[in-house]
Amino acid sequence: MRDPKQYPTALTIAGSDSGGGAGMQADTKTMQACQTYSTNVIVGLTAQNTLGVQGAHPVEPDVIDAQFASIMADFDVRAAKTGALFDAIRVQTVARAVKKYELSNLIVDPVMVAKGGASLLDDAGVAAMKEDLLPLALLVTPNLPEAELLAGMAIKTEADMVTAGNKIQQLGVPNVIVKGGHGDGPQVKDYVLLADQEFWLTGERIHTSSKHGTGDTLSAAITAYLAQGETLEAAIKEGHSYMNTIIAHPLNIGHGHGPLNQGNWEVQRNEI
């Protein structure tokens, strides 16, 4: 039962990014910036930096179960999100825990395709996500390559985004955001299909190499606002506004695809 005296708390169920740009680290930073406390279940460990991923090591299912048990025994989790889940076994382990603990306000960020196009979830994992996890979710937030996998179609136009959103909704998840960041043009357009309405969100396309963790950050911001009691529509719009703000103020970190500025820090140039 929710205790109104408890500070708004959310849960991220994701992999660990040793470079701090994506995964659990991006989620935690984002929730903190959006004034929500973050707990976490680590599904896998990665060795990575801004140049790429050098290694990935999934966590054993019993360790995932133990993390869920610890968190749910103590914290008033009001919203949760998933990120990279590595394979079908981990997807199914997470889905069982979501059902066991009756987690509500679940957002699925279906991490399946890397920015360079590499697959991050095999066919069995994609099938498990469709069959076991999406029907438990309040919202799913695929980018264009992920939406193509979930909808089973190519997406070339805005009309295709609408069609794909409806196909994904038919998988059992009532609300869908098809993100247009992988598209072209001066604006980024996201198609939002809710159970009772649809609309588009737009933002200026910022040309920067510091975009690592954009999907994690948007879904984490929406999760944070849901934990605070916002409606889904309001949480989506506030999360989108937050993203538009921070992506315009990149940080100079690393030598490859750098992280987002989740804290919205003033950009400083240190000269030695």
Side-chain angles (χ1 to χ4, degrees):
M1 175 177 278
R2 179 171 296 178
D3 181 350
K5 295 178 290 185
Q6 289 282 307
Y7 194 83
T9 298
L11 169 63
T12 169
I13 308 158
S16 171
D17 174 356
S18 58
M24 178 273 294
Q25 286 83 355
D27 293 342
T28 299
K29 294 174 189 176
T30 300
M31 291 175 182
Q32 177 81 7
C34 295
Q35 300 184 38
T36 293
Y37 185 77
S38 173
T39 59
N40 57 262
V41 167
I42 301 299
V43 179
L45 305 174
T46 68
Q48 66 175 292
N49 51 31
T50 65
L51 301 174
V53 178
Q54 292 78 45
H57 308 277
V59 168
E60 290 300 319
D62 61 333
V63 178
I64 296 172
D65 290 337
Q67 292 175 82
F68 270 108
S70 292
I71 290 166
M72 300 310 298
D74 185 26
F75 297 96
D76 180 18
V77 174
R78 302 181 185 181
K81 62 146 295 187
T82 65
L85 299 181
F86 292 81
D87 57 29
I89 292 174
R90 275 81 194 169
V91 172
Q92 292 164 346
T93 299
V94 168
R96 285 195 298 270
V98 168
K99 288 192 287 188
K100 177 179 179 179
Y101 297 107
E102 299 179 342
L103 284 172
S104 60
N105 292 330
L106 176 69
I107 296 178
V108 171
D109 179 15
V111 179
M112 296 188 288
V113 182
K115 275 186 168 51
S119 175
L120 299 177
L121 192 64
D122 62 15
D123 290 346
V126 173
M129 182 169 287
K130 288 182 178 181
E131 296 169 13
D132 300 316
L133 192 59
L134 287 188
L136 305 176
L138 174 68
L139 172 70
V140 63
T141 61
N143 59 30
L144 292 180
E146 291 160 351
E148 289 183 333
L149 280 175
L150 291 175
M153 60 176 284
I155 302 176
K156 303 297 184 184
T157 66
E158 291 179 12
D160 291 339
M161 293 174 70
V162 173
T163 300
N166 280 274
K167 285 179 175 287
I168 294 168
Q169 193 179 58
Q170 292 169 13
L171 296 173
V173 56
N175 305 290
V176 183
I177 303 176
V178 180
K179 300 177 296 187
H182 284 69
D184 299 316
Q187 288 189 320
V188 176
K189 300 191 72 173
D190 296 344
Y191 174 61
V192 183
L193 176 62
L194 303 184
D196 58 353
Q197 62 174 309
E198 60 181 339
F199 54 89
W200 291 85
L201 293 171
T202 61
E204 181 183 357
R205 188 176 298 279
I206 305 297
H207 296 284
T208 172
S209 62
S210 297
K211 293 183 179 179
H212 186 46
T214 51
D216 309 88
T217 298
L218 176 62
S219 56
I222 296 170
T223 305
Y225 291 124
L226 283 175
Q228 295 172 23
E230 297 283 3
T231 66
L232 179 59
E233 179 185 354
I236 289 171
K237 291 179 177 178
E238 288 186 55
H240 186 264
S241 176
Y242 168 77
M243 275 293 303
N244 283 344
T245 298
I246 67 170
I247 203 168
H249 300 92
L251 300 172
N252 183 22
I253 293 177
H255 298 85
H257 293 288
L260 292 170
N261 182 4
Q262 280 97 352
N264 198 25
W265 298 338
E266 180 180 352
V267 177
Q268 299 179 355
R269 296 187 182 275
N270 298 320
E271 296 184 0
I272 299 175

